[in-house]
Amino acid sequence: MSFTPQEIIENSKAHTLVSWSAQGAWSPIAYDHAEGVYVWDANGKRYLDWSSQLVNVNIGHGHPHVIKAIQEQAAKLTYVEPSSTTEPRARLGKMLAEIAPAGLTKTLFSNGGTDAVENAMKAARLFTGREKILTRYRSYHGGTFAAATAGGDPRRLANEPGVPWIVRLPDPYAYRSPAYRGRTQEEGDLVIADMIEEIVQLEGPEYCAAILLEGYSGTSGIIQPSPVFWTRIGEICKKYGILLITDEVMSGFGRTGEWFGINHYPDVKPDILVFAKGVTSGYVPLGGTMLSQEIAEYFDTHVLWAGLTYSSHTLACAAGVANIEVYQNERLIERSREMGKKLRQGLMDLAEKHPCIGEIRGTGLHQVLEIVKDRATREPMSEFNKPMSDPMKTVATTLKQNGLSTFVRWNLIFNCPPLILNDDQLAEGLAILDQALSKIDSFYTGK
Ligand SMILES: Cc1ncc(COP(=O)(O)O)c(C=O)c1O
């Protein structure tokens, strides 16, 4: 006999644990099924998936092409150990080499983003013989010990001191960083890049293996610099023989209107690229670490000290192949770019109505609203790394009540729907956002 909606929640709470939370406060929605951009809970209520779950269900839910590929592969062969190989693995490796930035030729597959980041850091340290990895404070790179240390996100704090070889870098956060006071975005970005070069010198370039940056910033607030920043980072890496690792776990597979976030900066050539999420849109877990030809050749004669039982999982690779076919056949990368412009216009219209929208950031279907009490002082509606304020709780609750599922973090509202979103669904999402923001207009204290 199946569980009632209440039994699903009770048994989940009694016998399972939830990530990143005090368990007692967990009050989940029990979902039952999904199609396209919508998910339904066990009581039959429909939600517009405005965050593609964890910014991973890029092609939308229940795509028949991917379901068929998974079913056919499951009936044939689901798994073999990773030192053997299969057609889905060979096909996916080839497809990735074709869509990735030039020069990235070989992939080491993993189960998700975290282990792909771990493998990237291992490969960089083995290849260079150097120890330190430099990362941004406002970034997230995964939940295991070293990956959590690499991300500067506050989720690392309970894990501190973490691994000793991570060095954190200042963020190109034009809206809030003091480095930008009295400067344009580009001027401030160059100051931050100069500070990064100084940190490299102070840390000893001969000890610095890699700079690890999200190809396009994600959960920390889509805090993305201008191209001058990336050009300088590329120059710094070259000057000191440091590798550049781009983490495309969230920003990959069309999310920002390009295959990968780093494609927005064609001058920059990553040595290692990490992906997960959108490669399978969550239909089966999969991640990977792509290496440049030069690094890959190094491992022709040196052992690549990394491995996982499920590396190159056959079913996951088949899901990856089918996903890339969907991105290509349905032109979803272009669609993300086009719908992203309409989303931006819609968010700008909301900002005309709701002065609490302090800043809109991002591109493609990867955009965030930063909510403030006052546009002049930029005082946030909820403080960084503090429990959510009452107004932001009101926003989050109203969105959910009115049938929109997304994540609201501190004073940030994320707008990252599946890339198949159409005009009507966009209008529906914007209308629900409008209703939720109307509820907190009275908390705006600015003029
Ligand atoms: C940029 C980035 N890197 C790595 C990760 C970790 O990926 P996973 O949760 O699949 O292990 C995430 C997850 O959100 C991410 O956004």
Side-chain angles (χ1 to χ4, degrees):
M1 235 180 46
S2 49
F3 281 163
T4 63
Q6 198 50 35
E7 283 169 339
I8 297 174
I9 291 173
E10 281 166 10
N11 280 284
S12 300
K13 283 178 68 82
H15 302 297
T16 74
L17 294 158
V18 62
S19 343
W20 310 116
S21 307
Q23 306 298 306
W26 189 30
S27 166
I29 296 175
Y31 285 114
D32 182 69
H33 62 281
E35 190 184 335
V37 298
Y38 294 105
V39 277
W40 282 261
D41 72 16
N43 291 307
K45 177 171 171 175
R46 190 182 84 168
Y47 297 82
L48 176 58
D49 188 349
W50 199 245
S51 63
S52 310
Q53 298 303 303
L54 284 183
V55 198
N56 59 329
V57 188
N58 289 10
I59 63 162
H61 299 268
H63 198 293
H65 180 69
V66 178
I67 292 173
K68 186 165 175 275
I70 291 172
Q71 285 170 336
E72 286 177 1
Q73 189 59 49
K76 199 172 164 197
L77 174 70
T78 49
Y79 169 78
V80 288
E81 57 81 21
S83 70
S84 49
T85 193
T86 61
E87 182 172 348
R89 171 183 179 161
R91 267 194 194 286
L92 184 57
K94 181 167 186 285
M95 282 171 134
L96 287 163
E98 283 161 6
I99 61 172
L104 296 164
T105 54
K106 280 192 179 181
T107 298
L108 175 64
F109 289 106
S110 59
N111 304 324
T114 298
D115 39 356
V117 166
E118 296 270 350
N119 285 337
M121 295 194 292
K122 279 187 179 182
R125 286 161 51 102
L126 287 167
F127 175 76
T128 59
R130 301 177 181 184
E131 187 172 283
K132 298 182 189 182
I133 307 281
L134 291 80
T135 70
R136 268 174 60 173
Y137 268 101
R138 292 176 196 264
S139 67
Y140 180 70
H141 296 294
T144 56
F145 213 72
T149 311
D153 179 289
R155 278 172 279 186
R156 80 179 197 273
L157 292 171
N159 186 51
E160 303 264 58
V163 299
W165 36 264
I166 298 291
V167 174
R168 292 208 192 83
L169 305 172
D171 294 283
Y173 192 4
Y175 193 61
R176 296 202 179 276
S177 163
Y180 292 79
R181 282 188 205 140
R183 297 195 171 99
T184 63
Q185 160 108 46
E186 279 78 11
E187 286 165 356
D189 286 346
L190 287 175
V191 171
I192 298 285
D194 285 347
M195 287 166 71
I196 290 175
E197 179 165 14
E198 188 186 26
I199 292 170
V200 166
Q201 288 165 347
L202 294 170
E203 290 291 334
E206 66 277 27
Y207 297 97
C208 296
I211 296 180
L212 161 62
L213 300 173
E214 288 166 74
Y216 206 102
S217 161
T219 42
S220 301
I222 312 191
I223 297 162
Q224 192 62 7
S226 65
V228 296
F229 174 86
W230 277 104
T231 304
R232 280 282 290 126
I233 293 294
E235 287 166 3
I236 293 166
C237 286
K238 209 167 182 183
K239 182 167 167 189
Y240 299 102
I242 297 171
L243 301 181
L244 178 62
I245 307 174
T246 53
D247 178 345
E248 299 283 355
V249 169
M250 187 171 279
S251 51
F253 299 94
R255 180 50 54 196
T256 68
E258 293 283 348
W259 274 108
F260 297 98
I262 198 67
N263 293 141
H264 290 280
Y265 312 97
D267 286 353
V268 186
K269 301 263 168 285
D271 301 289
I272 300 179
L273 180 149
V274 179
F275 65 84
K277 294 189 189 270
V279 66
T280 52
S281 297
Y283 286 61
V284 184
L286 184 68
T289 307
M290 298 192 74
L291 305 181
S292 69
Q293 185 75 29
E294 189 193 357
I295 300 173
E297 277 170 10
Y298 172 84
F299 289 110
D300 283 342
T301 49
H302 298 81
V303 175
L304 178 54
W305 291 106
L308 297 159
T309 298
Y310 296 131
S311 180
S312 313
H313 192 282
T314 317
L315 190 64
C317 286
V321 169
N323 260 266
I324 293 179
E325 285 166 352
V326 170
Y327 288 115
Q328 288 172 331
N329 295 342
E330 299 182 16
R331 301 183 65 252
L332 291 186
I333 313 303
E334 295 82 351
R335 190 182 174 92
S336 170
R337 200 176 307 149
E338 287 152 20
M339 290 306 290
K341 286 185 194 141
K342 294 182 185 176
L343 171 64
R344 173 55 70 108
Q345 186 55 54
L347 296 175
M348 280 164 44
D349 293 345
L350 287 180
E352 293 271 306
K353 251 178 109 172
H354 304 283
C356 65
I357 298 180
E359 189 166 64
I360 310 168
R361 293 190 291 271
T363 190
L365 291 175
H366 185 64
Q367 303 196 29
V368 73
L369 299 178
E370 182 154 343
I371 308 298
V372 293
K373 285 190 191 158
D374 183 329
R375 277 189 186 169
T377 64
R378 302 184 178 181
E379 186 185 347
M381 194 63 87
S382 194
E383 280 179 56
F384 173 76
N385 199 25
K386 293 273 161 46
M388 212 187 266
S389 64
D390 285 341
M392 290 309 291
K393 274 190 204 152
T394 302
V395 170
T397 312
T398 311
L399 292 174
K400 220 164 244 176
Q401 274 167 356
N402 294 356
L404 185 137
S405 145
T406 191
F407 57 99
V408 178
R409 195 181 189 215
W410 308 316
N411 68 328
L412 305 171
I413 305 172
F414 286 83
N415 306 274
C416 309
L419 313 187
I420 54 168
L421 187 83
N422 67 28
D423 289 346
D424 290 344
Q425 294 155 350
L426 172 65
E428 181 188 343
L430 291 168
I432 299 174
L433 272 174
D434 189 12
Q435 289 156 8
L437 291 169
S438 298
K439 292 226 173 164
I440 61 161
D441 281 340
S442 59
F443 292 91
Y444 185 75
T445 53
K447 298 251 158 33

